[in-house]
Amino acid sequence: LSILAGLESADSGEIRIHGELVESPSVRLTPEKRSVGLVFQDFALFPHLNVKQNIEFGKTKGNSAPYSLQELSTMTATEHLLHKYPHELSGGEQQRVAMARALFPHPNVLLLDEPFSSLDESRKTDVRTEVFKAVRDAGVTCVFVTHDIADAMYVADSIALLHNSDLLQHGTKRDLYFSPVSLKVATLFGDVNVVDKDLQNALHISSTDSTPQIVRPEHLHIKRATTDETANATVVSTTFLGKEVRLTVRINNASSAGYSAVSCLMSSASEAASLVSGDSAHISLSGPVINIRC
């Protein structure tokens, strides 16, 4: 983000914003000439300025702002906060003020650095919704850095996964979730069950010799076995998670050493929520078997 904003220099390559070259070995536009808005992780509001003054600080000197203060404060739900100071605001309110300040000059690109990391889970969903509604209403391209995959899935049109500076995969949310290029990418979206011979037999999955396969816990259905003939698994443990219940089951007649532990995720309102350790169960597919692409 610092390189995109012009706060640091790139070692190599080029950066173009809306087609304009802003960074290369021979060209380097200063931050104020890039039309980039940046919202820091700690919001960086000026404590001696009230909300109105903080927002108006984002106005580009010498140019008229594309929004009036009233329009922007309404867009970011900060109109009732204009005369308060940062220490009087909640974390979510500070977030919206920082967003309004960054949007005031209507940048070509808005850069967000872990914008929700300091918010409680109970407030994160509402603030996230409000913030990205404002971004979309403003029609501004946004680059959003996060370690929380749920945030990325909630707001992103496309996602780039980075690990140790390497690009693992880039694509839409559905691409990354349903067509991961590696097991590492797949597990970033939650636990997975790697398909072995026992799971293949239990779920009647066609095997692939060269391509690893996974089944996500949420793509399995589990219910109490009505007869010995329908039982293909035994419940090992259950964990109640509120709206969901996570079950670990052992495949019956497992051929592998020890036993094949399979994780299932079901609604807490389903029949599966009544299962306990030792119960005979029947598991089946309720979603796709995912082939790891490489």
Side-chain angles (χ1 to χ4, degrees):
L1 292 184
S2 294
I3 294 174
L4 291 175
L7 303 178
E8 295 183 23
S9 298
D11 294 328
S12 61
E14 295 182 351
I15 298 174
R16 295 179 182 270
I17 298 177
H18 280 209
E20 180 185 6
L21 181 65
V22 300
E23 182 97 24
S24 74
S26 60
V27 175
R28 186 170 188 272
L29 294 189
T30 56
E32 65 272 15
K33 294 181 179 179
R34 297 192 180 201
S35 187
V36 168
L38 178 59
V39 178
F40 295 94
Q41 188 171 352
D42 61 358
F43 311 141
L45 299 180
F46 299 111
H48 63 292
L49 302 181
N50 63 22
V51 168
K52 176 178 180 294
Q53 294 165 329
N54 263 285
I55 294 175
E56 289 180 331
F57 191 88
K59 180 180 177 180
T60 304
K61 292 183 179 180
N63 296 321
S64 59
Y67 304 111
S68 69
L69 178 65
Q70 181 60 47
E71 288 173 327
L72 191 60
S73 61
T74 299
M75 188 186 303
T76 55
T78 55
E79 64 269 32
H80 62 297
L81 305 172
L82 294 178
H83 299 292
K84 291 188 175 183
Y85 284 82
H87 71 274
E88 299 176 294
L89 306 178
S90 68
E93 289 169 341
Q94 290 184 35
Q95 172 69 72
R96 298 201 302 275
V97 173
M99 182 70 65
R101 182 178 63 187
L103 288 173
F104 203 10
H106 200 279
N108 286 329
V109 179
L110 182 64
L111 309 177
L112 304 182
D113 182 13
E114 297 277 4
F116 309 117
S117 61
S118 63
L119 302 180
D120 294 335
E121 286 298 324
S122 59
R123 283 289 297 140
K124 182 184 287 190
T125 299
D126 289 341
V127 173
R128 190 169 52 193
T129 300
E130 293 164 355
V131 163
F132 281 94
K133 181 181 184 302
V135 171
R136 288 190 168 91
D137 288 348
V140 175
T141 298
C142 180
V143 178
F144 165 41
V145 173
T146 181
H147 287 87
D148 188 337
I149 197 66
D151 283 345
M153 292 291 280
Y154 193 90
V155 303
D157 296 310
S158 64
I159 299 174
L161 293 175
L162 300 175
H163 179 67
N164 291 335
S165 300
D166 292 328
L167 178 63
L168 300 181
Q169 188 172 353
H170 174 255
T172 66
K173 293 177 281 190
R174 294 186 66 85
D175 287 341
L176 272 60
Y177 185 80
F178 288 110
S179 301
V181 298
S182 67
L183 189 59
K184 184 172 188 62
V185 171
T187 55
L188 286 173
F189 294 87
D191 294 338
V192 300
N193 298 298
V194 177
V195 176
D196 59 10
K197 182 178 295 186
D198 296 316
L199 196 55
Q200 283 179 355
N201 293 335
L203 300 178
H204 308 292
I205 297 172
S206 299
S207 64
T208 58
D209 294 332
S210 58
T211 305
Q213 295 176 299
I214 62 168
V215 177
R216 297 192 181 278
E218 57 269 33
H219 294 156
L220 290 173
H221 181 269
I222 183 170
K223 63 181 181 180
R224 190 182 304 278
T226 54
T227 66
D228 290 340
E229 288 75 19
T230 62
N232 59 3
T234 302
V235 177
V236 175
S237 65
T238 64
T239 304
F240 180 73
L241 302 173
K243 64 180 181 180
E244 297 167 331
V245 58
R246 182 176 292 275
L247 302 99
T248 300
V249 302
R250 181 182 68 247
I251 301 298
N252 292 346
N253 303 316
S255 59
S256 56
Y259 64 85
S260 296
V262 178
S263 179
C264 310
L265 194 63
M266 298 285 292
S267 166
S268 58
S270 68
E271 174 194 350
S274 65
L275 293 171
V276 297
S277 177
D279 281 348
S280 293
H282 178 81
I283 61 170
S284 57
L285 284 170
S286 60
V289 176
I290 296 173
N291 296 316
I292 302 297
R293 284 162 40 187
C294 67

